[in-house]
Amino acid sequence: MAYVIMEYVEGKTLAKIMRELDNDITLDMIASVFSSVSHALEVAHKAGILHLDIKPENVIVNKEGVVKVTDFGLSTLMDASGQGETGGGTIGYMPLEQMRQQRLDVRTDEWALASLTYEMLSGKNPFKARSLDDAESAIEGAELVIPSLCWEDIDESVDDIMFDALSPDMDGRYPDIEAFAEDLMPLLGSAREGKTQLAKAVKDSESLREEPAPRPPKPYVPFIDRLGMRGSNIVMRVSAALGAAMLGVVALLNFRFDFTQASQAASSSQTIEAGANTVFGLFSTVPIAAWAILAVLVALAALWPRFAMPAGYGLFVVALFFNQAWLPAFLLLAGTGAWWWFFGRRSDMMATLVMLQPLFGSIGFAALVPVLSGALLDIRDAVLAAGMAILSAFVMASMGSGDIMNWEVVSNFIVAVNPSIAGASISGGFVESLSSAQNWVVAASWLAAAALYSLICRKGTHVFDILASVAAAACIVGGVLVVPLATGNLGLLTPLAISGSIVPALVGVVFALLDVPDRVRMAPGEW
């Protein structure tokens, strides 16, 4: 594979230097440029290469005043007769034979060098034109300014040398660059002085250069985009694993087989250690089995959340049956089975959100589930997920708190050791939670929050996402306030109830600010 390795030259093009210096360019500078460019072309020609694009833009002067010839993009190799061909060039710096795509030789580069030098001497390039036809006319009928008239201290013989090198006819030019340079160089200034002056010109213009404009700030990349699909998927699976772990631990702690010893321990004056092998359920009686079941459940949640959801709730239903809590057990079994078969088995996200209810509800933030459902799911799925979370919340409230927002894990993660007592306690707690007007108003606010959040987010703009989150927040907070304000029973407004509504509401707003609702609603492959 052929390729070119180019030297990095830190400096300025001759075109830019000429624009900046204008009339301040000196014969010494011209001598330095001409000497370097002509020498570069001599080396190239001896190597059998024609440059064919000599122009001010392709000559660079570095900070030490060294002149470099660049851009051999149009160069060509000469054949045995010293000729070559090209398909391009730059108007103003290519002679007639190059424009007409005739055979070229070293005199083609000579004409381009003469054009560049004439421009430095006279301050203008008379051969520039809009088209090739106009350029041909400019070369054949040009009225050239006599170079010696532009300088007080230059010999008039410069005129003939320049006009010979700029001859439209190749045969009228010097035979090669070396002959052209041999005649012209003695009539120009000092190349060594010119090198020093060029270096100073480059450095002075560098020092006068305006301070670079501050870099524009990097565009803000929403956190959800930085997280990406892969990161979001990991977060969902970790969340599912945590939710399944909570369900599994509570269920396994309440699996008890030795009812006799458990009842004796509960009715005696001995400490809980007396029935240690039954108090902590399967973790007491068969700890290996308990940890194995829990590990399988958590792994299942991390890999396939949609299958872990019925497994986790099924385990909890079995625990309710063990404790003879028939009513909540049958309702949860029927509700979970129907919900999963018709809806949940098709969506890992829905299954994950439902499994998070026992986890969030254990610390008083059960309202997070409907808020997240509205942010992450379409309307129907959001309402269905919130509905299943409400059923779960009522059952978890039967563990002792009677409050669907907070089932108080610290106090209620182990029910009464005696199954008959536990069953009566759980069933009674379930009926009590169902009888609470506050719970039903809160449940209705959850459904409304999920529906409104998802509905307004359908607009697909950042502003509407924020409006959706605010609407959901109003529903969540309003659901907690309605009954206490309507009945005058302000005792219901406990710190836990207030924080349990405000925190989920704020989380919903943060999700909108982070553009989460927009991303999850994009078509596959767009995000």
Side-chain angles (χ1 to χ4, degrees):
M1 182 172 62
Y3 58 93
V4 177
I5 300 175
M6 297 193 295
E7 174 189 3
Y8 171 68
V9 182
E10 185 177 2
K12 287 189 174 182
T13 64
L14 178 61
K16 189 170 184 180
I17 293 173
M18 290 167 62
R19 285 197 302 270
E20 291 176 350
L21 293 178
D22 197 16
N23 293 330
D24 292 332
I25 194 170
T26 67
L27 281 175
D28 293 334
M29 292 179 179
I30 295 173
S32 181
V33 172
F34 180 83
S35 173
S36 298
V37 176
S38 61
H39 177 67
L41 289 174
E42 288 174 25
V43 172
H45 292 168
K46 287 178 182 178
I49 298 172
L50 297 176
H51 187 284
L52 302 179
D53 199 20
I54 293 296
K55 59 184 178 180
E57 289 79 5
N58 287 341
V59 176
I60 297 180
V61 182
N62 68 17
K63 292 181 179 180
E64 285 72 42
V66 178
V67 178
K68 301 277 187 176
V69 175
T70 68
D71 195 352
F72 281 72
L74 293 179
S75 63
T76 187
L77 292 175
M78 292 182 281
D79 57 23
S81 66
Q83 294 182 322
E85 297 178 352
T86 187
T90 301
I91 291 178
Y93 302 97
M94 58 177 173
L96 293 176
E97 68 271 14
Q98 189 172 355
M99 287 189 283
R100 293 168 179 171
Q101 297 188 351
Q102 298 172 351
R103 300 287 286 174
L104 314 174
D105 61 24
V106 297
R107 293 170 293 179
T108 303
D109 280 340
E110 176 192 323
W111 192 94
L113 174 60
S115 175
L116 182 150
T117 307
Y118 180 86
E119 185 174 353
M120 289 191 289
L121 289 169
S122 66
K124 182 179 180 181
N125 185 325
F127 309 115
K128 290 183 177 180
R130 293 180 178 274
S131 66
L132 288 175
D133 291 339
D134 292 341
E136 289 188 24
S137 299
I139 293 173
E140 292 175 329
E143 295 181 2
L144 302 179
V145 175
I146 297 175
S148 61
L149 296 180
C150 300
W151 300 87
E152 294 180 357
D153 51 352
I154 195 171
D155 194 283
E156 293 181 359
S157 56
V158 165
D159 302 333
D160 291 334
I161 296 171
M162 291 301 302
F163 292 154
D164 285 347
L166 289 171
S167 172
D169 184 2
M170 294 177 69
D171 293 333
R173 302 172 203 159
Y174 285 92
D176 53 40
I177 296 288
E178 188 175 359
F180 176 33
E182 185 178 347
D183 280 358
L184 185 60
M185 272 302 300
L187 304 178
L188 299 176
S190 167
R192 177 174 295 181
E193 288 297 322
K195 179 180 177 182
T196 302
Q197 294 169 12
L198 285 170
K200 186 176 185 302
V202 172
K203 290 177 181 177
D204 287 349
S205 61
E206 288 286 338
S207 64
L208 294 175
R209 181 183 296 172
E210 294 181 1
E211 288 294 322
R215 291 183 179 180
K218 292 183 178 179
Y220 168 72
V221 179
F223 172 77
I224 188 66
D225 286 340
R226 282 179 277 150
L227 192 63
M229 285 291 293
R230 180 180 176 84
S232 301
N233 193 45
I234 291 173
V235 170
M236 180 191 70
R237 293 176 187 279
V238 170
S239 301
L242 292 173
M246 174 60 76
L247 271 171
V249 167
V250 175
L252 293 168
L253 282 171
N254 293 285
F255 269 40
R256 301 192 184 90
F257 299 98
D258 192 346
F259 298 138
T260 303
Q261 186 177 7
S263 300
Q264 291 174 350
S267 60
S268 70
S269 59
Q270 301 178 41
T271 60
I272 198 168
E273 282 77 14
N277 64 335
T278 55
V279 170
F280 297 107
L282 205 60
F283 286 105
S284 296
T285 52
V286 192
I288 294 177
W291 287 110
I293 293 171
L294 185 62
V296 170
L297 180 62
V298 170
L300 185 64
L303 296 174
W304 300 288
R306 67 186 69 186
F307 298 110
M309 180 265 172
Y313 276 100
L315 201 63
F316 190 73
V317 166
V318 173
L320 292 176
F321 278 129
F322 262 92
N323 288 280
Q324 301 178 19
W326 312 116
L327 177 61
F330 279 116
L331 286 178
L332 185 60
L333 177 63
T336 301
W339 184 90
W340 183 81
W341 180 257
F342 290 107
F343 313 112
R345 65 193 176 106
R346 298 180 181 86
S347 171
D348 282 330
M349 181 59 73
M350 289 179 70
T352 298
L353 289 170
V354 171
M355 279 194 292
L356 286 176
Q357 189 283 320
L359 180 66
F360 291 151
S362 68
I363 52 175
F365 298 138
L368 275 170
V369 174
V371 170
L372 296 181
S373 298
L376 302 175
L377 302 173
D378 202 8
I379 297 175
R380 190 203 71 159
D381 290 348
V383 172
L384 289 170
M388 182 60 207
I390 289 170
L391 172 59
S392 173
F394 272 108
V395 174
M396 298 306 296
S398 69
M399 300 289 284
S401 71
D403 181 4
I404 66 171
M405 295 179 63
N406 180 19
W407 62 273
E408 299 176 11
V409 63
V410 175
S411 306
N412 301 308
F413 70 102
I414 297 180
V415 296
V417 178
N418 188 301
S420 59
I421 297 175
S425 174
I426 296 173
S427 297
F430 186 61
V431 173
E432 179 186 350
S433 66
L434 291 174
S435 304
S436 169
Q438 174 76 347
N439 281 344
W440 286 107
V441 172
V442 168
S445 73
W446 289 3
L447 289 174
L452 280 176
Y453 202 152
S454 183
L455 175 64
I456 300 174
C457 279
R458 275 193 165 185
K459 186 68 176 177
T461 67
H462 189 62
V463 173
F464 272 82
D465 288 351
I466 295 174
L467 290 176
S469 68
V470 172
C475 289
I476 296 296
V477 175
V480 173
L481 297 177
V482 168
V483 173
L485 295 180
T487 62
N489 185 9
L490 298 182
L492 294 174
L493 293 178
T494 62
L496 281 176
I498 295 172
S499 64
S501 61
I502 292 177
V503 170
L506 291 177
V507 169
V509 174
V510 170
F511 263 54
L513 292 174
L514 294 177
D515 292 327
V516 174
D518 278 345
R519 298 305 184 270
V520 298
R521 285 167 173 78
M522 286 183 174
E526 291 182 3
W527 173 68

